[in-house]
């Protein structure tokens, strides 16, 4: 049987290590992981950027899977290539699912105050993380958030908040945690809910997510 090709896109600033615990049957699926590329400028449109991301897809009619901002990106990519299915994790299907606080950040332009310098130089600032929780978060950032170029960070944050998609795509699968602190479940419609899943459940709920992905992808084989 010919294997189904699956392309994964990580979350904002994240590298593909976030998928290291995702496991799917190797006899049925071939997994490919796309790293973020730098925008040509902070003003590059998400449409043009997604076309450049599509250039790294080497197989016909793949399944596209994205996490958080990567979920937004695979939806944009799906508008330019033939594909079998789009699956998003810890993400949104339209700008209607953005929480009010992020919509407010868009209107007030408060996102411009986001400390991109801290993320881009996390090693320099980690000495100021006093409690154990913040120190653990800093360690996670160092391992998984390696795309720290300031132009990319400004571009990505802007495009999350200013995503223009008003109507969700057809034939999309949405996997979401009921404890997601970035995109609260109360704003999310028509999703497969992961109990106690947070925004980083791709790391700590990988076994559960793998089972859901296997079921959804297997339906297409």
């Amino acid at each position: 049987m010919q294997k189904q090709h699956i392309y994964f896109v990580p979350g904002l600033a994240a590298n593909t290590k976030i998928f290291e615990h995702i496991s799917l049957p190797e006899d049925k699926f071939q997994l490919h992981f796309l790293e973020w590329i730098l925008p040509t400028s902070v003003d590059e449109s998400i449409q043009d950027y997604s076309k450049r991301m599509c250039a790294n897809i080497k197989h016909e009619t793949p399944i596209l899977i994205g996490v958080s901002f990567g979920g937004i990106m695979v939806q944009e990519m799906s508008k330019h290539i033939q594909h079998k299915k789009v699956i998003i994790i810890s993400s949104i299907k339209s700008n209607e699912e953005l929480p009010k606080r992020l919509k407010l950040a868009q209107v007030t332009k408060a996102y411009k105050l986001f400390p991109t310098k801290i993320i881009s130089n996390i090693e320099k600032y980690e000495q100021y993380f006093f409690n154990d929780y913040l120190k653990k978060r800093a360690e996670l950032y160092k391992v998984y958030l390696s795309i720290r170029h300031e132009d990319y960070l400004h571009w990505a944050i802007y495009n999350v908040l200013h995503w223009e998609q008003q109507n969700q795509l057809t034939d999309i699968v949405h996997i979401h945690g009921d404890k997601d602190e970035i995109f609260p479940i109360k704003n999310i419609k028509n999703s497969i809910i992961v109990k106690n899943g947070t925004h980083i459940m791709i790391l700590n709920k990988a076994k559960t997510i793998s089972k859901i992905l296997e079921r959804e992808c297997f339906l297409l084989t």
Side-chain angles (χ1 to χ4, degrees):
M1 183 177 68
Q2 191 173 13
K3 292 183 180 181
Q4 173 65 57
H5 293 278
I6 304 177
Y7 282 79
F8 291 81
V9 179
L12 194 155
N15 58 51
T16 57
K17 287 182 181 178
I18 69 167
F19 300 114
E20 62 186 352
H21 300 303
I22 294 296
S23 178
L24 294 172
E26 294 182 359
D27 61 327
K28 296 183 178 68
F29 306 106
Q30 182 71 48
L31 310 188
H32 309 273
F33 305 98
L34 299 179
E35 298 282 5
W36 292 107
I37 55 180
L38 293 181
T40 55
S41 76
V42 292
D43 297 319
E44 182 178 18
S45 71
I46 194 171
Q47 293 82 11
D48 287 345
Y49 185 98
S50 64
K51 289 178 183 177
R52 294 200 295 123
M53 287 286 281
C54 286
N56 293 315
I57 293 181
K58 308 302 181 184
H59 302 90
E60 295 182 354
T61 60
I63 296 171
L64 302 174
I65 299 178
V67 173
S68 192
F69 182 49
I72 291 175
M73 185 53 57
V74 295
Q75 290 175 77
E76 289 297 323
M77 292 167 65
S78 74
K79 299 171 185 177
H80 305 299
I81 62 170
Q82 293 292 323
H83 59 281
K84 279 196 172 180
K85 177 79 77 174
V86 173
I87 301 175
I88 64 174
I89 303 166
S90 306
S91 189
I92 56 175
K93 298 183 291 298
S94 74
N95 54 25
E96 293 298 314
E97 293 185 332
L98 274 176
K100 288 183 179 179
R101 58 185 173 78
L102 292 185
K103 290 180 180 178
L104 181 63
Q106 176 205 94
V107 173
T108 62
K109 301 189 184 318
Y111 60 90
K112 291 186 176 182
L113 302 176
F114 188 82
T116 53
K117 286 187 182 298
I118 293 180
I119 292 181
S120 61
N121 296 284
I122 192 71
E123 288 83 4
K124 179 179 177 181
Y125 291 94
E126 65 179 322
Q127 60 182 306
Y128 302 109
F129 291 82
F130 298 111
N131 63 45
D132 288 341
Y133 174 78
L134 291 177
K135 287 178 181 177
K136 288 178 181 178
R137 276 295 172 121
E139 287 301 314
L140 284 176
Y141 290 161
K142 285 163 62 179
V143 174
Y144 297 108
L145 298 187
S146 63
I147 319 302
R148 304 182 195 171
H149 193 285
E150 282 195 60
D151 283 352
Y152 164 82
L153 292 172
H154 284 296
W155 174 88
I157 292 166
Y158 177 89
N159 279 286
V160 170
L161 299 179
H162 294 83
W163 193 35
E164 295 179 351
Q165 184 156 291
Q166 295 181 333
N167 300 310
Q168 74 175 59
L169 302 178
T170 58
D171 197 28
I172 185 172
V173 174
H174 188 170
I175 305 169
H176 210 83
D178 63 0
K179 297 288 192 286
D180 193 304
E181 64 278 19
I182 303 298
F183 301 128
I185 191 66
K186 66 180 181 180
N187 301 310
I188 305 299
K189 300 176 181 178
N190 304 320
S191 68
I192 299 169
I193 298 176
V194 176
K195 188 175 181 180
N196 295 320
T198 66
H199 196 65
I200 60 169
M201 67 180 183
I202 193 69
L203 297 177
N204 52 31
K205 295 281 186 182
K207 187 174 182 179
T208 298
I209 292 173
S210 293
K211 289 181 179 179
I212 297 172
L213 291 179
E214 181 177 355
R215 182 186 71 215
E216 295 297 327
C217 293
F218 185 74
L219 292 173
L220 302 173
T221 59

